Amino acid sequence: MAANAYIKLKRCLGKQDALIELQEIALRELDWQASQRPDPDDYLQEVCGRNGIKVDVLDAEGATLDISRLRVLLAIGALESYMHDLNVESQKLGVGPLFQVGVTMDDILQQFRSKMASSQSDNLAQLLVRYYLAVRNEAAHPFDSNQHLGQVRAAADAIRSSDLGELLAKQYGVDNLPDRSTELTFEYYIVCSRACKNYALALWEKLPHISDRMLEIVASGKFARLAQNPSRRRAAWVSYIRTEFRLDADDALAIVERVLKL
């Protein structure tokens, strides 16, 4: 019952986030240093030469754009691996496959769409993942970008046309999403990483063998003796959920709040 696939995903995204944050600091520092020189391009060529990096054509703006899109590829790739790990876990538990091997990520998201529509927070995470999947598809197919560009805009419009704008700002710290992957910044990668983690945990909670176990736990009357002390009861449940599913404190608290309604 342990959330092994989710734990693996969170660890992977955590490492990626840390590396990308360091990369972003280095890029901003390099950009600042270049801006202080009379000819920024000459300075960048100088830096490349000093570090033994040979480049024929140096397009700093284009490189920054490519880096922003590659970051999304990494996050969505991690989520895709999670989905397949989750599928394997379910089969090991005798539940059977959640989806057929070989289907596309878009098909997998579509399959679980109704499950993720049960709350505004989960629905927003789903819409964000679909948006970043469209960005990934556009970035991965540079010679067929027009088709995928329309998909990115449609995914952004789906969020804009919903009533989730306030929740987007509250949970993810952005008011809107770009219509083009060329407008993504570091801040939008952070949104992507967070949305992947939120989607993964919410989906795991909703799998039948997990949700059934949650109901069993609630029905057991555990910690009923603490009913008159809500804070202690809540803390006891968080500790129990952490042990039962091997989650960290933040994720255990999220389950206690969302699933157990405590």
Side-chain angles (χ1 to χ4, degrees):
M1 284 294 186
N4 293 327
Y6 173 73
I7 294 168
K8 178 182 174 183
L9 170 71
K10 191 169 183 179
R11 186 179 298 119
C12 175
L13 287 174
K15 290 179 179 178
Q16 286 181 188
D17 290 354
L19 289 172
I20 288 171
E21 285 167 2
L22 288 174
Q23 180 191 62
E24 182 67 15
I25 291 170
L27 286 171
R28 293 186 183 189
E29 177 65 19
L30 182 61
D31 183 61
W32 183 83
Q33 293 283 357
S35 70
Q36 306 305 303
R37 302 299 181 96
D39 191 327
D41 289 339
D42 283 351
Y43 172 72
L44 292 175
Q45 289 282 3
E46 176 190 326
V47 171
C48 289
R50 191 163 62 241
N51 289 278
I53 300 172
K54 183 180 179 180
V55 292
D56 296 323
V57 178
L58 186 61
D59 179 3
E61 185 175 346
T64 301
L65 165 62
D66 289 339
I67 288 170
S68 296
R69 299 164 83 181
L70 285 170
R71 290 168 175 173
V72 172
L73 264 70
L74 286 172
I76 292 297
L79 180 63
E80 195 164 14
S81 294
Y82 161 80
M83 300 300 282
H84 289 285
D85 288 343
L86 200 62
N87 206 26
V88 172
E89 276 187 12
S90 296
Q91 293 179 72
K92 286 182 178 178
L93 289 170
V95 179
L98 301 174
F99 51 84
Q100 296 302 311
V101 175
V103 299
T104 67
M105 185 63 172
D106 192 62
D107 290 334
I108 295 172
L109 294 178
Q110 184 65 31
Q111 180 175 332
F112 296 122
R113 187 173 182 175
S114 60
K115 286 183 179 294
M116 299 298 292
S118 58
S119 76
Q120 284 194 324
S121 180
D122 294 346
N123 189 35
L124 177 58
Q126 174 187 225
L127 290 172
L128 284 169
V129 167
R130 295 183 73 88
Y131 168 81
Y132 283 105
L133 178 62
V135 169
R136 190 281 300 269
N137 291 341
E138 181 188 334
H141 300 88
F143 301 107
D144 189 23
S145 60
N146 287 337
Q147 174 189 348
H148 296 290
L149 177 62
Q151 294 174 1
V152 173
R153 185 180 296 112
D157 285 341
I159 296 176
R160 278 193 287 266
S161 63
S162 69
D163 58 350
L164 300 173
E166 185 176 339
L167 189 61
L168 177 66
K170 180 179 179 181
Q171 288 194 351
Y172 296 92
V174 295
D175 296 322
N176 209 340
L177 294 169
D179 288 337
R180 305 172 64 95
S181 65
T182 54
E183 298 169 5
L184 291 176
T185 61
F186 168 74
E187 287 71 24
Y188 289 111
Y189 164 78
I190 296 300
V191 174
C192 177
S193 178
R194 188 174 300 162
C196 286
K197 284 179 274 194
N198 290 346
Y199 178 91
L201 182 61
L203 178 61
W204 174 80
E205 291 172 5
K206 292 173 173 57
L207 296 179
H209 55 291
I210 299 299
S211 60
D212 288 348
R213 176 59 183 146
M214 295 287 186
L215 290 174
E216 289 175 10
I217 293 172
V218 173
S220 69
K222 189 176 290 293
F223 307 125
R225 68 184 186 281
L226 299 176
Q228 301 304 315
N229 193 327
S231 62
R232 285 188 60 196
R233 186 181 182 213
R234 181 187 178 96
W237 271 114
V238 169
S239 178
Y240 179 82
I241 293 296
R242 288 189 67 182
T243 303
E244 177 78 5
F245 298 108
R246 295 199 301 190
L247 295 167
D248 64 23
D250 290 340
D251 292 330
L253 178 59
I255 288 176
V256 167
E257 291 178 340
R258 293 203 306 261
V259 181
L260 304 183
K261 309 296 184 184
L262 296 176

